[in-house]
Amino acid sequence: MDLLDTLIAKGLRRELPTREEALAVLATTDDDLLDVVAAAGKVRRQWFGRRVKLNYLVNLKSGLCPEDCSYCSQRLGSKAEILKYTWLKPEQAAEAAAAGLAGGAKRVCLVASGRGPTDRDIDRVADTISAIKDANEQVEVCACLGLLSDNQAERLKAAGADAYNHNLNTSEATYGDITTTHTYADRVDTVQKAHGAGLSACSGLIAGMGESDEDLVDVVYALRELGSDSVPVNFLIPFEGTPLAQEWNLSPQRCLRILAMVRFVCPDVEVRIAGGREVHLRSLQPLGLEVANSIFLGDYLTSEGQAGQADLDMIKDAGFTVEGAGEATLPRHRADAAAAAGHGCGGGTSAGGSADGAAA
């Protein structure tokens, strides 16, 4: 296909596709699916080889969120049957993180439900970061705590955080349809605060909420414009007890096309298959690795993932390798640019990311 040849060439040059080209990827047929995956795979291998980065979620505080995000099992008024608890102690979080690190995870993602952290919460997270890094100084830590106030990103950076996650989730035009208690602009502001403080910016999307192809392209273009180092792609898990419980809109083929579109628009950033991978990609998960270079190991926030050993077996069987602690995730040109700007952490690595509706 001429389209795919064009997208490969642009991806290898880090050139932005046109909106029409991005939309055309989403409109391809199932007959063309393997060609689409192969084309996106060429771009992925150019910048990331056959490495797969493993990330591990630690849910510091679960449920009872005052925000009304329609997709989230932790939202205000949610009737989803999930665990609800207040803040884990630093030693509890460090113990949970150790399990993921033992399985090969390179980064720990610390997530807490809520609109955003108080200053006391920042102190709690700082103590947790210290406990985790005292046990393993090479570990990368990403925080996902909701909307940030002034100077909180700087405090997290000083405490040893390497990245901050806050997803845009969907397009600006439709954001008000899924959340009313904060705005799309609030989310953009938090990503900019994190980036400005020298944290690696991690921001992604949720697919399957009834959005149009145009909405998906809009949010991915916005993420590129924001300069996200990593883009987690969540696939909606329609939790019973939430407003989107009946939104079963995704097929494995649709998910692969979405991942490919993200890769073509963001060729040299970490693209992570996040929440909903097992539910929606199912037996086609290994094909997802041809496009994305990062996954979560094990469980998510309020839903179970694939067994960690099954993830490791899948990576090996598909001919990929787990990215080591000493390897830089981002290609050199991005790592050098981040270092020059004071962003990111040693080696230019980046990760983090909420999954299945994390902090508001």
Side-chain angles (χ1 to χ4, degrees):
M1 294 175 67
D2 291 341
L3 168 67
L4 297 180
D5 290 338
T6 298
L7 288 168
I8 291 169
K10 287 186 174 184
L12 299 183
R13 296 194 301 264
R14 295 182 281 134
E15 183 179 333
L16 182 66
T18 66
R19 283 183 53 84
E20 291 72 22
E21 288 165 345
L23 287 167
V25 173
L26 297 177
T28 53
T29 68
D30 288 351
D31 287 344
D32 296 323
L33 182 63
L34 290 180
D35 292 333
V36 172
V37 170
K42 288 184 178 180
V43 178
R44 179 246 202 269
R45 290 191 299 276
Q46 166 72 16
W47 303 115
F48 300 97
R50 300 194 69 81
R51 305 187 313 275
V52 177
K53 184 169 186 174
L54 298 180
N55 311 274
Y56 191 75
L57 282 169
V58 176
N59 197 358
L60 297 179
K61 176 175 172 282
S62 181
L64 306 175
C65 182
E67 304 298 287
D68 68 354
C69 305
S70 299
Y71 53 83
C72 186
S73 61
Q74 305 184 79
R75 72 187 298 272
L76 179 69
S78 171
K79 294 179 172 58
E81 296 182 0
I82 62 169
L83 287 175
K84 300 179 178 67
Y85 54 85
T86 190
W87 291 89
L88 294 182
K89 295 179 180 178
E91 57 270 22
Q92 293 173 313
E95 183 178 353
L101 296 173
K106 182 174 180 177
R107 172 162 293 195
V108 172
C109 307
L110 302 176
V111 188
S113 66
R115 179 178 175 84
T118 65
D119 287 341
R120 183 182 178 190
D121 294 335
I122 296 291
D123 289 337
R124 288 189 178 102
V125 175
D127 290 343
T128 298
I129 293 170
S130 294
I132 291 171
K133 291 203 167 188
D134 284 348
N136 188 331
E137 61 182 21
Q138 284 191 301
V139 67
E140 303 169 14
V141 174
C142 177
C144 177
L145 311 173
L147 300 172
L148 292 175
S149 302
D150 290 344
N151 300 317
Q152 290 185 327
E154 287 80 3
R155 291 179 61 195
L156 288 168
K157 174 71 173 177
D162 301 294
Y164 195 83
N165 165 258
H166 200 63
N167 295 329
L168 297 187
N169 289 330
T170 193
S171 69
E172 183 174 14
T174 59
Y175 193 83
D177 295 337
I178 63 167
T179 304
T180 66
T181 47
H182 60 268
T183 66
Y184 178 91
D186 290 332
R187 287 186 171 268
V188 171
D189 178 67
T190 285
V191 176
Q192 291 173 333
K193 279 185 168 73
H195 208 227
L199 293 166
S200 179
C202 171
S203 189
L205 63 141
I206 304 174
M209 297 189 291
E211 70 282 337
S212 67
D213 286 0
E214 289 77 8
D215 290 322
L216 287 171
V217 170
D218 283 349
V219 69
V220 177
Y221 272 66
L223 292 166
R224 173 159 171 156
E225 179 71 19
L226 268 179
S228 297
D229 289 324
S230 54
V231 176
V233 180
N234 294 279
F235 300 112
L236 178 72
I237 301 174
F239 283 99
E240 289 296 329
T242 67
L244 298 184
Q246 304 307 313
E247 293 287 340
W248 289 93
N249 302 310
L250 297 170
S251 67
Q253 294 85 353
R254 171 75 169 167
C255 293
L256 288 171
R257 283 190 282 269
I258 291 169
L259 288 170
M261 184 272 288
V262 174
R263 174 56 72 200
F264 289 130
V265 176
C266 304
D268 59 341
V269 308
E270 180 188 350
V271 176
R272 184 175 321 105
I273 317 176
R277 164 167 62 94
E278 300 83 353
V279 174
H280 294 293
L281 278 171
R282 300 191 288 278
S283 62
L284 297 191
Q285 289 181 66
L287 283 181
L289 297 179
E290 296 288 342
V291 181
N293 62 297
S294 180
I295 62 172
F296 284 103
L297 181 71
D299 293 339
Y300 301 95
L301 290 175
T302 60
S303 62
E304 291 185 0
Q306 190 166 269
Q309 188 58 53
D311 286 333
L312 297 174
D313 290 343
M314 175 181 69
I315 291 167
K316 182 179 179 181
D317 291 347
F320 293 90
T321 60
V322 173
E323 185 173 290
E327 294 181 278
T329 300
L330 295 179
R332 182 175 295 277
H333 65 270
R334 286 192 67 92
D336 290 346
H343 302 152
C345 55
T349 51
S350 68
S354 60
D356 75 18

